[in-house]
Amino acid sequence: MSKKKLFLLDGSALAYRAYFAFIKSQMKNSEGLPTGTIFGFANTIDRLMDSEKPTHIAVVWDTHKPTFRHALDANYKANRPSQPDELREAMPRIKELITYFGIKNFEQHGYEADDIIGTLAVQARNKDVDVFMVTPDKDFMQLICKNIKMYKPLNSAKGFEVVDIQGVEKYFGVLPEKVVDVLAIIGDTSDNIPGVPGVGKKGAPEIIKKYGTLEKAIQSAAEIKSKRAREGLMNNADQARLAREMITIKTDVPDVVDWESLEWEGCKTKEISAFFKKMEFKSLTLKYSGESLPPLKSKKTNNGQASLFDDPTDVTDDTEEVATNWKVYDENKCHYTICDDPGSLDAMIEEMLECKCICYDTETTGINAMTADLLGLSLASRPGHACYVPLDGTGPDRNVVLQKLKVLFESEHILKIAQNYKYDYLMLKRNGIVVKGLVFDTMLAAYLLDSGQKMSMDFLARKYLNYDPISIESLIGKGRQQIKMSDVPIKSLMSYACEDADITFQLYEVLSKELEKEKLTSLAVDIEFPLSKVIAEMESHGIEIDKEMLAVFSKDLRDDLIKLEEKIFEIAGEEFNINSPAQLGTILFQKLNLPSKKKTSGGQYSTSEAVLSRLAQDFELPKLILEFRALAKLRSTYVDALPKIANPVTGRIHSSFNQHVTATGRLSSSSPNLQNIPIRTERGREIRKAFKAGVGNKLIAADYSQIELRVIASLADDENMKQAFRNDEDIHARTAKEIFGISELEEVDREQRRKAKEVNFGIPYGVSAFGLAQRLGVDNNEGKLVIDAFFERFSGIRKYLDETMQFAREKGYVQTLTGRRRYIPEIKSPNKTVRGFAERTAINMPVQGTAADLIKIAMIKIDKALRDAGLESKMLLQVHDELVFEVPEAEVDEASKIIKYQMEHAMDLGIPVKVELGIGDNWLDAH
């Protein structure tokens, strides 16, 4: 008897692959139903059944419910974009199709498809069966053994590969049993699992090969030669341990069916034939029913991938309807040149000075605009034509070239187009050129059109131009073979650079029309585009840090950690590794017998923050452990890290402020993330003292007061709440007075005000009666009564929330006062949890987004007002609702008036906007 073959398909991952394989196909049946994703998945199953002939098979799915991993870390998968509309619509039909193939679908709340597949695979591994896990996910390599293999789809329709033990070793450099340790160090950005900073895909396997396990590597971290790896492991030990726990696939999921019940007994011919006929899949209908369909008139796709496993030489008839290739670079059709002599440079500049708009792109040695070197730049003023100007010594004198280009870039009448304009602006500024004139940033335009899509030029080119640009890997390679950008031959660099400028110009032509069509031009031209210049200047200035203060603070924290450690050991009755979850779990739950039922997938007691926080309410040791962790993180993440990332030339911190990241329109901060600097604890706030004014200057911190409550009062046009702000009343006391039936504001006590504050910040963002009750520490009935009382007194808020929800359901998006949109297709989800999250998002976004627009407008107006007044004052930071400025002492009074006025009058909300100003030598004193 032939050996049994069990195939376990990762349904969610394969559905996503099918979706992206056909993302541009525009395949629809005559009813208008998008069918590309369904077609891709159908061909995958069909080919799999034909080629592999499994004896047992199942498709396993993720659910939308939180899993045990979310319980371990609330940020798990927090960065994942929402599921695309077409994929979400296709899912029920794909699952229906699977049943017609005679295959079972499985999912289980609380667990991911990985865990169910892992459990079924381990069930069968010691039987007379070969197990194949059909998935592109490298995490599954941890399960591979003699009888369990991965059936991994390859990219670009090149079929698949079977990954065995040797394949794992080739991919990771370690055997399967060590994969989890390697992955814990690397982390997983797609799942928001951070791993160990300073150690990448090359370094992690070497560490595990040397030390054997993650735990041993952590214990031996002090001896690691690489400074980044050493400090990364020492400072992020708990983070790595948590990552390992999160990445480990569970193999003991309860109540999972027996693998033998998955025997395949053939497809349901009648049902599957009818399904394919309804979808109008020609070849599949012919194969399963013998009937031919008339030719279709569907549009062609840009991708020749008919199945996730297809051999590109063996494509079904259906691909005639949907499959052509993306356009690619053809040097015979493009007019790309190098301006490497004075004559060609002068001619190019003379020609472009007559243009209404030019597109430019810089080629550099790195991605940090404050440290990278400029190798050259490309320019385009019409589609299909571009030139490259080298600045690396291969052409005319660099300084002479820059002086000539200065005339072009500082011309006020020419619109300047770029992809990520801020980066190119900074690169040119550091080389003596300040770009002037109006701006068009294709990245920001795409962001305004759909904040959920990718913003890279390559993605946008494929989506809007049906064009696949030259990849950076084709230029510099990857891995150990990667070369420096400065070592790329000039002709190859020219083609790459000119294409960037050319394609960005073509994107401008498309995206400018899309903005107009969606009525987003004003938002782009009046806010986002000019703001990019303001932010670029803000990043260029940077902020000074007090390294001496941080050194002293680090020593103080170390002393506090030592004292805490001694106290922890005293209560525990012995010394142990506080950073070891296993040792800590033994102390807490075995030796001290503290109550806990929560265990990790590896069988250890969980010592997560959530578990310790619950225990800390009744027991001292968990409270001390939390304090120890907080101080250790404060020291490693901020106090010791900030001096190391100061710019070596300026000695200042130059954080990057990003316009295209958040879905609400708020700016985000990175490298470092200044918005994450802790402010709720006394020790955390001390970090702000390290950000100081330069000699002869002061810092001004200007902070909007209760801006989101003012925004919602304006959006809802609620007279009671608006009147409170007009009278400059304590809004939380006023709310307490209204909902608790108190006659005078002065009679509101602290506890009533506290409850009102929770109501004010909770109800406008969709908090439930249960959620409010939890916050207030009351029962659900009282929570409901408070909500009812709030809406009775502030009826405009209730009306606004209802109308916003209805608008979202009808339009599929919500918008701010300026017209900024956020699409929320999940608002129609049949899944209650998903729909509930979407409803809260619909309520929250217009408020947060309008507040974000308000501060952006203020930034633009302040920047102009300061320049018009001839002041030297500089804007340095934007953090949440706060702006920070560095101001010469002689300008403090005048700058303060300008800042306060422009912030309070940036947008007319129909009620007063209040700004609190602070002045000091450092950020803490000014705040």
Side-chain angles (χ1 to χ4, degrees):
M1 184 179 176
S2 60
K3 200 170 187 182
K4 295 174 182 176
K5 295 167 72 175
L6 169 62
F7 276 73
L8 301 169
L9 281 66
D10 183 351
S12 301
L14 296 177
Y16 264 95
R17 281 182 71 84
Y19 168 74
F20 285 112
F22 285 84
I23 194 169
K24 295 286 285 185
S25 71
Q26 300 182 38
M27 275 184 72
K28 294 181 179 179
N29 65 4
S30 56
E31 296 176 359
L33 174 72
T35 56
T37 304
I38 303 167
F39 175 68
F41 206 102
N43 261 349
T44 297
I45 301 287
D46 178 61
R47 296 298 179 83
L48 176 66
M49 303 307 287
D50 280 354
S51 62
E52 299 300 332
K53 297 179 171 52
T55 60
H56 297 71
I57 185 169
V59 181
V60 187
W61 300 90
D62 293 327
T63 74
H64 293 292
K65 296 280 188 181
T67 69
F68 68 92
R69 292 182 178 88
H70 293 89
L72 291 172
D73 185 351
N75 293 319
Y76 180 57
K77 292 189 176 181
N79 294 338
R80 285 281 181 95
S82 58
Q83 195 178 69
D85 286 355
E86 184 177 326
L87 177 57
R88 187 179 61 259
E89 291 176 13
M91 283 294 199
R93 293 179 174 88
I94 290 173
K95 292 178 181 179
E96 176 187 357
L97 169 63
I98 288 165
T99 65
Y100 297 154
F101 269 112
I103 301 170
K104 292 183 175 68
N105 288 294
F106 287 104
E107 60 184 45
Q108 189 165 327
H109 293 319
Y111 301 95
E112 295 180 37
D114 308 32
D115 305 306
I116 300 171
I117 290 173
T119 300
L120 287 166
V122 169
Q123 262 188 31
R125 71 179 171 193
N126 295 324
K127 311 295 182 183
D128 187 26
V129 60
D130 283 329
V131 182
F132 295 91
M133 303 175 294
V134 186
T135 179
D137 189 349
K138 65 184 181 301
D139 290 6
F140 280 90
M141 291 187 186
Q142 64 187 270
L143 299 175
I144 290 176
C145 59
K146 182 181 178 183
N147 284 5
I148 302 177
K149 300 178 180 67
M150 255 181 83
Y151 197 81
K152 181 186 177 188
L154 297 173
N155 293 327
S156 303
K158 295 180 180 178
F160 64 89
E161 66 173 328
V162 176
V163 182
D164 56 12
I165 295 173
Q166 289 71 35
V168 176
E169 195 168 13
K170 180 180 178 182
Y171 185 89
F172 274 111
V174 297
L175 291 171
E177 56 266 28
K178 302 294 184 185
V179 165
V180 175
D181 294 292
V182 172
L183 287 171
I185 295 176
I186 297 172
D188 189 334
T189 53
S190 67
D191 286 344
N192 208 27
I193 300 175
V196 175
V199 188
K201 294 177 181 178
K202 289 165 56 178
E206 297 303 319
I207 289 172
I208 296 303
K209 278 194 284 189
K210 180 173 181 180
Y211 296 104
T213 66
L214 173 66
E215 194 57 46
K216 288 180 181 176
I218 290 171
Q219 293 171 3
S220 307
E223 66 185 52
I224 294 176
K225 291 182 180 179
S226 166
K227 183 180 179 183
R228 293 186 69 195
R230 179 174 67 249
E231 292 181 350
L233 277 168
M234 291 175 72
N235 296 335
N236 299 275
D238 276 353
Q239 184 169 288
R241 293 184 183 103
L242 177 61
R244 189 185 194 284
E245 190 173 353
M246 303 277 283
I247 288 167
T248 299
I249 293 175
K250 199 170 182 64
T251 58
D252 58 352
V253 176
D255 304 321
V256 172
V257 298
D258 191 277
W259 72 271
E260 291 185 297
S261 69
L262 306 178
E263 186 172 1
W264 187 63
E265 298 177 350
C267 65
K268 301 174 182 178
T269 307
K270 182 179 178 181
E271 289 88 347
I272 202 169
S273 298
F275 182 89
F276 288 145
K277 190 172 182 179
K278 182 178 181 181
M279 295 297 111
E280 299 171 1
F281 299 157
K282 286 195 306 182
S283 61
L284 290 170
T285 300
L286 181 62
K287 176 176 180 177
Y288 284 86
S289 71
E291 295 182 38
S292 295
L293 293 178
L296 302 178
K297 296 181 180 179
S298 57
K299 295 183 180 180
K300 294 185 177 183
T301 185
N302 57 356
N303 192 316
Q305 185 169 346
S307 163
L308 305 187
F309 301 142
D310 274 347
D311 182 327
T313 63
D314 179 23
V315 184
T316 68
D317 289 344
D318 292 88
T319 56
E320 294 173 5
E321 304 151 19
V322 297
T324 59
N325 290 324
W326 279 312
K327 292 178 288 186
V328 295
Y329 171 64
D330 183 345
E331 62 179 338
N332 296 317
K333 295 181 180 179
C334 299
H335 301 278
Y336 295 166
T337 58
I338 301 177
C339 290
D340 55 359
D341 64 82
S344 62
L345 179 64
D346 290 343
M348 180 271 292
I349 292 174
E350 185 177 351
E351 178 186 342
M352 291 205 170
L353 280 169
E354 298 301 316
C355 296
K356 292 182 179 179
C357 56
I358 62 170
C359 179
Y360 77 103
D361 182 67
T362 57
E363 296 305 328
T364 66
T365 58
I367 60 173
N368 187 329
M370 293 304 299
T371 57
D373 293 326
L374 181 63
L375 297 175
L377 59 85
S378 53
L379 297 109
S381 59
R382 54 186 166 133
H385 294 71
C387 63
Y388 178 66
V389 182
L391 292 164
D392 58 355
T394 59
D397 180 82
R398 178 188 177 95
N399 291 328
V400 172
V401 174
L402 288 170
Q403 280 301 313
K404 290 184 176 183
L405 289 170
K406 190 179 178 75
V407 177
L408 177 62
F409 281 102
E410 295 190 354
S411 173
E412 296 273 5
H413 77 274
I414 300 174
L415 172 70
K416 311 302 189 307
I417 304 161
Q419 164 79 12
N420 193 6
Y421 173 88
K422 182 186 70 171
Y423 178 89
D424 296 317
Y425 179 95
L426 283 168
M427 286 305 307
L428 290 185
K429 181 177 182 183
R430 287 182 52 232
N431 285 273
I433 297 175
V434 178
V435 183
K436 297 179 181 178
L438 296 177
V439 180
F440 191 100
D441 187 330
T442 52
M443 181 181 74
L444 294 180
Y447 167 71
L448 291 179
L449 289 166
D450 182 0
S451 61
Q453 68 181 331
K454 293 180 181 178
M455 308 299 164
S456 70
M457 191 204 76
D458 287 3
F459 175 83
L460 298 177
R462 296 186 192 109
K463 177 176 179 179
Y464 291 102
L465 305 176
N466 195 34
Y467 185 92
D468 190 22
I470 300 168
S471 69
I472 187 68
E473 289 81 8
S474 68
L475 232 65
I476 62 175
K478 54 185 177 181
R480 294 181 179 178
Q481 305 302 317
Q482 190 175 90
I483 62 173
K484 295 178 181 178
M485 200 70 168
S486 54
D487 293 333
V488 174
I490 187 67
K491 186 176 180 183
S492 298
L493 185 56
M494 179 273 293
S495 300
Y496 176 81
C498 285
E499 184 193 59
D500 276 359
D502 178 17
I503 294 303
T504 300
F505 188 90
Q506 293 181 48
L507 282 170
Y508 153 71
E509 293 186 314
V510 174
L511 296 176
S512 58
K513 292 174 183 175
E514 287 292 313
L515 289 175
E516 192 71 34
K517 176 183 171 185
E518 298 298 329
K519 297 181 173 55
L520 293 168
T521 301
S522 176
L523 178 60
V525 172
D526 296 336
I527 300 179
E528 293 298 344
F529 294 165
L531 182 68
S532 62
K533 279 187 179 182
V534 176
I535 292 175
E537 290 291 346
M538 194 164 75
E539 291 181 12
S540 176
H541 302 316
I543 188 167
E544 193 165 327
I545 58 167
D546 191 335
K547 293 183 179 180
E548 293 181 5
M549 175 265 170
L550 288 171
V552 172
F553 193 21
S554 179
K555 183 180 179 301
D556 290 344
L557 288 174
R558 184 191 64 192
D559 294 342
D560 289 346
L561 285 166
I562 291 171
K563 291 175 184 176
L564 269 175
E565 187 179 61
E566 291 171 352
K567 196 168 183 180
I568 287 168
F569 292 160
E570 181 183 344
I571 295 173
E574 62 178 273
E575 293 188 5
F576 64 99
N577 183 355
I578 297 172
N579 293 317
S580 166
Q583 292 183 36
L584 177 59
T586 300
I587 293 292
L588 292 175
F589 306 118
Q590 291 185 9
K591 182 175 180 180
L592 299 181
N593 202 28
L594 299 189
S596 178
K597 296 179 182 178
K598 196 169 187 61
K599 288 194 175 184
T600 68
S601 57
Q604 296 180 356
Y605 286 103
S606 173
T607 58
S608 67
E609 183 175 351
V611 170
L612 294 181
S613 295
R614 286 194 297 271
L615 291 170
Q617 296 175 19
D618 301 307
F619 302 98
E620 185 177 11
L621 187 55
K623 184 178 179 181
L624 293 176
I625 296 293
L626 286 172
E627 188 177 348
F628 182 91
R629 287 180 178 179
L631 291 185
K633 181 178 181 180
L634 188 68
R635 185 172 183 243
S636 63
T637 306
Y638 300 104
V639 180
D640 291 346
L642 283 172
K644 298 173 186 175
I645 59 176
N647 186 285
V649 176
T650 67
R652 294 162 78 94
I653 295 288
H654 299 268
S655 180
S656 181
F657 292 90
N658 312 299
Q659 290 172 259
H660 66 289
V661 173
T662 70
T664 61
R666 281 188 175 274
L667 296 181
S668 71
S669 168
S670 57
S671 303
N673 184 351
L674 299 179
Q675 296 182 346
N676 274 357
I677 291 177
I679 57 172
R680 293 186 178 181
T681 64
E682 184 178 344
R683 273 316 186 53
R685 285 191 292 273
E686 285 291 302
I687 298 290
R688 290 195 170 203
K689 190 181 287 185
F691 294 84
K692 66 177 185 176
V695 176
N697 295 312
K698 294 285 186 181
L699 291 186
I700 295 178
D703 196 356
Y704 278 114
S705 172
Q706 299 172 332
I707 190 60
E708 290 187 2
L709 287 176
R710 294 174 194 268
V711 166
I712 198 169
S714 175
L715 290 174
D717 196 25
D718 185 275
E719 194 55 40
N720 278 339
M721 192 171 281
K722 287 167 67 176
Q723 193 60 46
F725 284 120
R726 290 193 192 105
N727 296 340
D728 197 21
E729 297 172 353
D730 179 335
I731 188 63
H732 303 312
R734 172 65 182 265
T735 301
K737 172 182 177 293
E738 297 290 346
I739 64 177
F740 296 123
I742 300 168
S743 57
E744 300 294 336
L745 278 177
E746 294 76 17
E747 296 175 14
V748 174
D749 62 31
R750 288 185 61 184
E751 182 60 16
Q752 289 167 332
R753 186 184 183 279
R754 182 191 72 79
K755 289 181 178 181
K757 186 176 181 180
E758 292 289 353
V759 174
N760 278 336
F761 286 120
I763 287 181
Y765 302 105
V767 69
S768 64
F770 172 77
L772 184 61
Q774 292 287 100
R775 296 184 188 187
L776 298 180
V778 299
D779 62 37
N780 293 348
N781 288 333
E782 187 173 343
K784 184 177 184 305
L785 289 173
V786 170
I787 287 178
D788 291 344
F790 178 90
F791 285 132
E792 182 180 347
R793 301 303 298 166
F794 299 104
S795 57
I797 303 291
R798 172 78 278 171
K799 183 171 181 278
Y800 165 74
L801 298 183
D802 291 342
E803 288 176 350
T804 301
M805 204 81 73
Q806 185 61 30
F807 182 92
R809 293 190 186 102
E810 291 175 1
K811 304 287 188 180
Y813 65 86
V814 288
Q815 59 187 13
T816 67
L817 274 178
T818 64
R820 183 186 304 278
R821 293 180 183 178
R822 179 173 182 177
Y823 289 90
I824 314 174
E826 298 83 2
I827 198 83
K828 296 180 181 179
S829 172
N831 184 296
K832 186 178 179 181
T833 302
V834 173
R835 189 173 64 254
F837 178 79
E839 289 171 348
R840 289 190 293 276
T841 300
I843 292 168
N844 175 263
M845 188 274 171
V847 180
Q848 270 205 10
T850 298
D853 291 336
L854 176 71
I855 199 166
K856 285 180 174 181
I857 294 169
M859 291 169 71
I860 296 167
K861 289 187 172 183
I862 292 169
D863 178 74
K864 182 178 185 303
L866 291 175
R867 284 186 286 108
D868 288 349
L871 302 185
E872 294 296 317
S873 301
K874 307 295 183 186
M875 193 184 312
L876 304 186
L877 307 176
Q878 192 273 314
V879 181
H880 303 302
D881 299 323
E882 179 181 9
L883 294 174
V884 179
F885 302 82
E886 187 171 37
V887 179
E889 292 182 7
E891 295 180 5
V892 167
D893 288 343
E894 186 177 359
S896 295
K897 291 175 184 176
I898 289 173
I899 292 165
K900 185 176 176 64
Y901 179 85
Q902 295 297 345
M903 288 181 73
E904 291 184 341
H905 295 83
M907 186 186 291
D908 183 8
L909 295 180
I911 52 173
V913 172
K914 190 174 180 180
V915 170
E916 295 172 352
L917 229 66
I919 302 166
D921 294 322
N922 60 65
W923 191 8
L924 181 64
D925 290 346
H927 185 68

